[in-house]
Amino acid sequence: MSFSCSEDDGPKTGGENYVAKGEYIITATPKESEGVADYVLNVETLMEGKTTLLGNGIEQDGTYRYYITNNNKFFSLLYGQGDPGAVNNYQLESDMSLTKSPSLPSETVQTFTNVNDDVLMARVSRSSDNPSAEWYSLNTNTFTFDAEGQINTAELAPEGEQAFFTWMTQVGDKVYAPFMSMKACCNDAWGTEYPDQAWVAVYSYPSMSLEKVIEDDRTSFLGRYFNSGLEVTDNGEVYGFSSSVATLNDEFTSSKPSAITKINPSTMEFDESYFFNLEEASNGYYIASQHYASNGKFVVMMRSKEDKGAYSSGNKLAVVDVYAKSFTWITGLPNANEISSITSTNYTSEDGSTVHVGVNTESGNYVYNINIANASANRGLKVEAGNITAISKLSPVEE
């Protein structure tokens, strides 16, 4: 099977129900090829119809790509697996064509987040000989790195271990960086002697000066490798999500449940009065990742504890209301055992009522449109010849 990167050879938009180009961004990996990068497509709707990678979209270079949208630009970050990375940005023109910037060389990074009009990125060392995290601030207006610095991660973690940031999140004018503690040595580089502890380093921005490290012993660390564990809701409240996947010698060792905690941004401390046990609410599942909708409600990607993995993605979805501490399984999705993957980069409608998630199965790859109010999903756009990896939206650039 061959693929074309030409935008001029787009799919038909007639009787075969292919949708026209539009504001929604879809990335997908070719199904019949290995070791190739995603294609970037744009479509007018996520609710129905179909699109295809065949003769359509923009082919990217490199194998692993990750995505973030800021300042009406869609950024694609190359994960170089130890080699240097790169950043591209895409913009939507008034004729609904996508334009791609020249690649901006960068380091391969493990965290990236929006801070105002910047994309803050960090490359985190896993070596006990060099316990550090290098951070870079990408200005989305100029598409240049405006600032960079280094963080000593051994100074954040308990003695004898070092911090590995799971993600970073803007909270007001600060950056909160949850981290796991790891030995980074001794044939058990990801293991920790502290499986029942959560930490968050708080930094001022843009200097990235450390203000404090806050901790909590009611859960294991927040987030997971390459997965955000901290979210800010509409009212400015901050919630932490723990999967409870800490290990020692490749065995899960945390005695704490997968749960949600809360941080008070005014005091920069965990709220001891708030605790939401997700394992209990879900009858034996743990959270793998989450996506914010609105009004304290999240779509959470869950997985059975019997099928726990430190890097496994969720295959059963629910709506969680962190304000009300309610948990509702989502109906209308394929069975968990039929799902091969679910997108980690998803899109919430402007009114917060619908979350659009890519669900890949052997029988087909579709965008599922999740109604947050009644926790139900409807199958929408079909993506042919590729596994969906991200969903976003851009507005056309004004001429």
Side-chain angles (χ1 to χ4, degrees), residues 276 278 281-282 285 300 302 317-321 325-329:
F276 186 10
L278 288 179
S282 64
Y285 284 72
V300 293
M302 308 289 290
L317 276 60
V319 172
V320 159
D321 185 333
K325 292 186 182 178
S326 66
F327 182 98
T328 309
W329 289 114

Side-chain angles (χ1 to χ4, degrees), residues 18-32:
Y18 287 105
V19 299
K21 295 182 183 298
E23 297 182 345
Y24 295 99
I25 309 300
I26 298 282
T27 65
T29 303
K31 262 191 162 183
E32 303 300 327

